Amino acid sequence: MQEIYSPREVEAAAQQKWHRTAAFKAVEDASRPKYYALSMFPYPSGKLHMGHVRNYTITDVLARFKRLQGFNVLQPMGWDAFGLPAENAAMKNGGAPAAWTYANIEYMKTQLDSLGFALDWERELATCKPDYYRWEQWLFTRLFEKGVIYKKNGVVNWDPVDQTVLANEQVVDGRGWRSGAVVEKREIPMYYFAITKYADELLTSLDTLDGWPEQVKTMQKNWIGKSHGSDVVFAYDEASIGHAGTMKVYTTRPDTLMGATYVAVAAEHPLATQAAANNPALQAFIAECKAGSVAEADVAKMEKKGMDTGLFVIHPLTGAKLPVWVANYVLWGYGEGAVMAVPAHDERDFEFANKYRLPLLQVYAPVAGDHAFDATQWQDWYAAKDDSVRTVNSGKYDGKSFSEAFDAIVGDLEAKAAGQKKTQYRLRDWGISRQRYWGCPIPIIHCPTCGDVPVPEKDLPVVLPENVIPDGAGSPLAKMPEFYETSCPKCGGAAKRETDTMDTFVESSWYYARYASPKCDTAMLDKAAADYWLQVDQYVGGIEHAILHLLYARFFHKLMRDEGLVSSDEPFKSLLTQGMVICETFYRDLPNGSKDWIAPQDVVLERDGKGKITGATHRVDGLPVVVGGVEKMSKSKNNGVDPQEFIEKYGADTARLFMMFAAPPEQSLEWSDAGVEGAFRFLKRLWKLAKEHADAGVVTAYAGGELNASQKELRFKLHSTIQKVADDYGRRQQFNTAIAAVMELLNTYDKTDRSDAAGRAVAQEVLESVTLLLSPIVPHITDAVWAVLRPGSELLAQAWPQVDEAALVKSEIEMMVQVAGKLRGSITVAADAAKDAIEAAALAHENVQKFMEGKPAKKIIVVPGRLVNIVV
């Protein structure tokens, strides 16, 4: 064993051995319990960042721990390889997205290998490869024929820079999530997954996911948004509209119908179009509304605007004429594109009505108290629907509770054929058409005679040409006759291939299942392999994927189940959402008002005695820089740490140890150079302890015999640590406390007599166990240490150390002694000592006698196994 710990040499040797022996290849084995550990796969952007390192290290620790426990472990890796960044990079560099993507994959794969992850590379997949997306197209054609996928015109979010449709979830504050461009509304033909057909199951089966964070389940429940309400039908006022007709709205509060004072419609509603025909001001307002985002989150935050159309509809119960307004907060495509407004009892309507001086009609009042209704100031009780309020100003419905008013009004609406009780979901069908090139081609052929025809299975995959350089002006596929010119599979006539590609979230919705049989070329999944490995036992990824990816993956799993491809109902048994990696930011203000962000390694900090930053200067010019605060590591703030540079300096094990020790996995991890140095020192200490022991001659680990008191204490500490670390890894998933427990064990080891044969045997037992306990976190150094502690054996072939229950039985225990609640000493007594003996030993303690000052004990409180408190 070398004198000095050299991470570069140690890690290279371990990785070469693992590759040579295919150490992490997974095969189905019915004789062993399986464990499928999976990290959300990366987009091949070119380089890993520290967020990746943390994510994959967490998964790797769990995978290696389960392997030690005897599980048959699968931990695969692949690439979410389609998407806009590749097109943007191609336009910037003048190359094809495919070449850029494959080059990035190769580089990032070497980075992953350098971190020592226990990955089965034989199952590697890339979503841009035809052998992967062929089966996505196959499933598409089956679902299209069943109507689970359909085509219709839809109002969409259009990114004018990226020239593509965005899902609502991809619109942030009215801008495209990648380009930052202001999103526009457009109506175009789109393909949709009918996810709403599965809305109720997606909602109810969340309750079966005991291993998921409650926060994520709540986010999905809110997104699906099941609500109970009623349709309400308003007849057209023929005098103002000019013809007969009806407007249908859906409301969760039909009980407030008597308080409706106007209706609002979306800019695309037929009544809005009619009213704008001879109204230039209304035309301009409608154009403004159509330019806005169709994302609900953006609509909720925007300033509420509207215009009166001059048209009216008829209240179905009172016969009153209600004005029709065009409002920017009503979305076309959500329900019928119209809402009834009850300003007195809906905060959004209240704001709108006050802005445009529309009437408010109070129809609820508190049962008790003197809460006066204020038409100018919203109060929370206005929206109450519990026993604290009763209906007022509602004619025959007066004096009713929420449920009584709900049932009575809906009953009357149904009797008049003017509405009916209805359950609705906030969730909308998933539009997947994207007008981009670098994506999975949609396998549809447009025939002027036969219509939209799915590509036959024998002709799949529809291969995306890879030698294409996009120019940013729409999809290149639409300009390539060699791609889109084809013949109809039904009639044989001239036809046109679909040039839209699928939303890249489709690829990431089923990749976890393909890992079970990635080389299967006769089916989307090998059923036996899928049934063996699925569900995924532990999935690890960021909370930012709570709705987009995780909801779509759950939906896809149910689609595959219904096609007979998988047997389970849910894809991921347990979910861990790791926190961000954050770091200090520094900058200087530039003359143009922007900021010049400075990398943390280029900054010299001044701190006070408590470690608080009091100043910062640039390492090169010595001039002051501004401390910008702690934020997520990012290129934009220049506060990231390059994993490759870090590994070359400290080694992968230091990165892994720091990541797991600095914070619990679900919390944000603040980067700390001092913490990194501390992790590196600990690994050097472990190396030194192993070398000192090995140089004196390795022995057989302790298996019985006489021990002195300190050696017994060390074995007690060892086996209580084994017990704790197993719980920290497995049940609690708190790796920082596991590492701390091992550090405490080694502190006890340092203080223990190890000079005689028994001491050497206990030392061997401790070091072997510590090596196994730490191996999931720091696999390279522990592989090398194991080789010198147990020559001729392999660490990867070992089992998790077993707890010796006998070692946890102490013949003597130490108890603290207090006088009047203050610590005054400690005593050592037999573990089974009687209360009288414990009291006598405490009273006899010299320091205790001193603080009792000769006074008698009034009361002696004994807390078994812990302390004695003497009250004088």
Side-chain angles (χ1 to χ4, degrees):
M1 193 174 193
Q2 293 180 359
E3 187 74 29
I4 304 297
Y5 168 53
S6 171
R8 186 186 295 264
E9 295 177 22
V10 167
E11 292 174 4
Q15 291 164 15
Q16 288 168 10
K17 178 174 64 175
W18 297 336
H19 279 293
R20 186 174 64 252
T21 60
F24 308 119
K25 180 179 178 179
V27 294
E28 292 77 46
D29 182 355
S31 67
R32 298 162 62 199
K34 67 90 182 177
Y35 186 78
Y36 183 177
L38 183 64
S39 295
M40 294 182 184
F41 64 169
Y43 181 79
S45 58
K47 279 187 176 182
L48 294 180
H49 54 68
M50 282 299 179
H52 288 129
V53 176
R54 190 182 194 201
N55 183 344
Y56 306 148
T57 300
I58 291 168
T59 311
D60 196 55
V61 169
L62 294 169
R64 288 177 177 273
F65 168 64
K66 287 295 184 178
R67 177 175 178 142
L68 284 166
Q69 288 196 314
F71 285 79
N72 183 27
V73 175
L74 168 61
Q75 186 185 193
M77 183 58 71
W79 311 96
D80 190 10
F82 275 138
L84 278 175
E87 287 196 48
N88 293 338
M91 287 186 285
K92 180 180 178 181
N93 302 322
W100 181 84
T101 300
Y102 295 136
N104 288 348
I105 286 174
E106 288 307 306
Y107 180 73
M108 292 175 71
K109 187 173 178 179
T110 64
Q111 288 187 298
L112 290 170
D113 276 338
S114 71
L115 284 155
F117 298 132
L119 299 169
D120 181 358
W121 282 114
E122 291 190 20
R123 294 174 185 260
E124 179 185 12
L125 57 81
T127 60
C128 63
K129 293 288 189 71
D131 62 353
Y132 180 84
Y133 63 74
R134 165 192 180 186
W135 297 109
E136 188 172 303
Q137 294 174 340
W138 171 83
L139 183 64
F140 184 104
T141 60
R142 291 177 67 87
L143 297 176
F144 185 79
E145 289 170 345
K146 291 182 176 182
V148 178
I149 294 176
Y150 63 91
K151 185 181 180 184
K152 72 167 187 176
N153 280 2
V155 178
V156 298
N157 299 302
W158 180 263
D159 187 316
V161 172
D162 283 335
Q163 293 283 298
T164 191
V165 168
L166 301 178
N168 284 344
E169 302 90 333
Q170 295 167 317
V171 180
V172 180
D173 294 330
R175 295 177 179 272
W177 70 332
R178 293 195 189 278
S179 71
V182 175
V183 169
E184 303 171 357
K185 289 181 186 176
R186 287 196 184 179
E187 185 171 356
I188 61 173
M190 294 273 292
Y191 291 91
Y192 290 84
F193 273 97
I195 190 173
T196 52
K197 291 185 176 181
Y198 288 77
D200 203 51
E201 187 185 357
L202 286 167
L203 183 64
T204 57
S205 60
L206 283 169
D207 293 333
T208 69
L209 299 177
D210 296 333
W212 280 44
E214 286 302 320
Q215 179 187 6
V216 174
K217 292 196 286 186
T218 298
M219 291 169 73
Q220 290 211 2
K221 286 178 182 178
N222 292 340
W223 190 258
I224 295 168
K226 185 176 184 179
S227 64
H228 301 285
S230 173
D231 282 335
V232 181
V233 178
F234 295 84
Y236 283 1
D237 170 51
E238 294 186 35
S240 62
I241 296 176
H243 58 87
T246 59
M247 172 192 294
K248 184 193 291 185
V249 306
Y250 171 78
T251 177
T252 59
R253 296 296 304 270
D255 56 299
T256 65
L257 178 58
M258 299 300 285
T261 60
Y262 68 96
V263 295
V265 299
E268 296 83 0
H269 195 281
L271 290 184
T273 304
Q274 176 182 328
N278 298 305
N279 187 336
L282 185 55
Q283 290 173 13
F285 177 68
I286 288 174
E288 178 187 336
C289 291
K290 288 182 176 180
S293 166
V294 297
E296 271 191 276
D298 296 321
V299 172
K301 290 183 288 186
M302 69 173 59
E303 179 189 357
K304 308 300 182 289
K305 295 181 180 180
M307 283 193 71
D308 190 356
T309 63
L311 308 178
F312 294 87
V313 293
I314 306 301
H315 192 294
L317 297 182
T318 68
K321 293 202 301 183
L322 303 183
V324 178
W325 281 66
V326 179
N328 65 347
Y329 64 80
V330 183
L331 293 176
W332 185 244
Y334 278 64
E336 304 285 333
V339 299
M340 77 173 201
V342 184
H345 301 285
D346 180 278
E347 190 168 7
R348 180 189 60 186
D349 298 342
F350 183 91
E351 176 188 339
F352 190 88
N354 272 294
K355 180 174 182 177
Y356 293 105
R357 299 183 179 180
L358 296 168
L360 284 78
L361 179 57
Q362 179 189 3
V363 293
Y364 270 109
V367 173
D370 57 354
H371 303 296
F373 187 85
D374 182 350
T376 64
Q377 184 65 46
W378 175 263
Q379 299 180 55
D380 288 341
W381 71 261
Y382 293 176
K385 53 179 183 178
D386 53 32
D387 290 338
S388 68
V389 293
R390 289 289 186 274
T391 49
V392 296
N393 303 322
S394 298
K396 72 175 188 176
Y397 308 109
D398 275 358
K400 296 186 183 297
S401 67
F402 162 75
S403 58
E404 291 168 343
F406 187 108
D407 291 341
I409 289 176
V410 171
D412 285 352
L413 288 172
E414 290 178 339
K416 298 180 67 172
Q420 62 180 359
K421 190 177 290 187
K422 184 178 181 182
T423 297
Q424 188 158 295
Y425 296 88
R426 179 177 178 273
L427 182 69
R428 294 294 176 263
D429 282 345
W430 174 18
I432 62 158
S433 301
R434 298 295 179 267
Q435 295 65 45
R436 303 301 300 180
Y437 151 65
W438 188 239
C440 172
I442 291 176
I444 293 291
I445 292 171
H446 305 299
C447 174
T449 303
C450 305
D452 295 333
V453 182
V455 174
E457 183 177 347
K458 66 180 179 61
D459 295 332
L460 296 176
V462 177
V463 177
L464 183 77
E466 293 191 346
N467 59 342
V468 174
I469 302 176
D471 60 9
S475 172
L477 298 178
K479 308 167 191 173
M480 297 173 62
E482 65 272 28
F483 175 80
Y484 65 72
E485 287 182 351
T486 187
S487 56
C488 175
K490 282 189 175 181
C491 69
K496 184 178 180 181
R497 194 181 300 283
E498 174 63 64
T499 58
D500 278 2
T501 55
M502 295 190 211
D503 180 2
T504 56
F505 280 102
V506 178
E507 284 85 70
S508 61
S509 293
W510 68 282
Y511 77 104
Y512 64 89
R514 182 66 179 177
Y515 279 138
S517 51
K519 293 182 171 61
C520 181
D521 61 1
T522 57
M524 188 174 187
L525 303 176
D526 178 275
K527 184 64 163 54
D531 284 349
Y532 178 82
W533 288 114
L534 298 174
Q535 302 166 299
V536 175
D537 294 282
Q538 183 65 65
Y539 200 33
V540 180
I543 190 78
E544 65 272 16
H545 299 293
I547 294 172
L548 276 163
H549 163 60
L550 289 169
L551 183 63
Y552 293 156
R554 294 181 59 229
F555 168 55
F556 239 79
H557 198 81
K558 297 177 192 306
L559 292 177
M560 292 189 293
R561 176 203 61 194
D562 292 349
E563 290 296 321
L565 299 170
V566 299
S567 301
S568 48
D569 294 326
E570 288 284 339
F572 313 119
K573 185 176 181 181
S574 293
L575 173 69
L576 190 158
T577 52
Q578 89 281 357
M580 297 182 296
V581 181
I582 58 179
C583 187
E584 287 280 4
T585 58
F586 305 93
Y587 67 88
R588 284 176 175 159
D589 289 312
L590 296 174
N592 63 4
S594 63
K595 289 178 170 57
D596 176 24
W597 295 97
I598 300 166
Q601 59 266 32
D602 294 333
V603 176
V604 177
L605 298 177
E606 301 165 12
R607 299 180 185 269
D608 60 19
K610 297 181 180 179
K612 183 179 179 181
I613 297 174
T614 57
T617 55
H618 199 290
R619 191 178 299 279
V620 177
D621 60 26
L623 297 176
V625 300
V626 180
V627 179
V630 177
E631 295 193 38
K632 178 183 177 181
M633 283 189 176
S634 66
K635 291 181 180 178
S636 63
K637 297 296 171 63
N638 197 22
N639 67 333
V641 175
D642 186 341
Q644 210 57 39
E645 292 180 8
F646 182 95
I647 291 168
E648 289 172 6
K649 183 176 180 180
Y650 291 104
D653 281 343
T654 297
R656 294 170 62 116
L657 181 64
F658 169 72
M659 288 280 188
M660 296 301 98
F661 187 51
E666 71 280 359
Q667 295 181 12
S668 292
L669 182 154
E670 184 171 354
W671 191 264
S672 162
D673 291 340
V676 169
E677 292 288 349
F680 191 49
R681 282 196 305 273
F682 176 74
L683 294 181
K684 290 190 287 187
R685 177 190 176 197
L686 176 64
W687 186 269
K688 182 180 178 183
L689 291 176
K691 178 169 173 53
E692 288 174 351
H693 180 80
D695 286 350
V698 295
V699 296
T700 301
Y702 176 79
E706 288 297 317
L707 300 175
N708 62 33
S710 70
Q711 292 162 352
K712 288 180 181 178
E713 180 61 30
L714 178 57
R715 289 201 79 238
F716 172 82
K717 186 70 172 176
L718 168 62
H719 288 278
S720 59
T721 300
I722 293 171
Q723 199 171 51
K724 174 176 173 49
V725 172
D727 188 52
D728 285 347
Y729 280 167
R731 181 181 66 86
R732 298 179 64 241
Q733 295 183 341
Q734 299 292 294
F735 313 116
N736 56 323
T737 54
I739 296 166
V742 174
M743 290 176 171
E744 290 176 13
L745 170 61
L746 290 180
N747 289 340
T748 304
Y749 174 90
D750 282 339
K751 294 182 282 189
T752 303
D753 174 20
R754 309 189 300 275
S755 59
D756 60 10
R760 296 279 304 150
V762 173
Q764 181 80 25
E765 181 188 19
V766 169
L767 291 175
E768 286 184 10
S769 298
V770 164
T771 303
L772 291 168
L773 296 181
L774 290 176
S775 65
I777 295 174
V778 286
H780 306 91
I781 189 173
T782 50
D783 187 82
V785 166
W786 186 266
V788 298
L789 293 176
R790 291 274 296 272
S793 66
E794 282 293 333
L795 176 62
L796 287 179
Q798 306 310 307
W800 185 255
Q802 296 300 302
V803 174
D804 182 354
E805 297 293 342
L808 298 178
V809 179
K810 302 183 77 171
S811 59
E812 292 183 331
I813 58 174
E814 184 181 27
M815 298 181 70
M816 301 298 105
V817 183
Q818 298 175 339
V819 177
K822 294 184 178 180
L823 182 63
R824 300 305 184 190
S826 64
I827 56 174
T828 301
V829 298
D832 58 355
K835 186 172 182 286
D836 291 347
I838 294 172
E839 292 177 359
L843 290 169
H845 192 286
E846 180 180 358
N847 209 39
V848 170
Q849 287 288 328
K850 172 184 173 184
F851 283 96
M852 288 179 69
E853 300 176 342
K855 298 174 184 176
K858 179 181 178 181
K859 188 177 183 181
I860 302 177
I861 303 165
V862 177
V863 181
R866 293 180 58 195
L867 63 85
V868 182
N869 185 29
I870 301 168
V871 181
V872 298

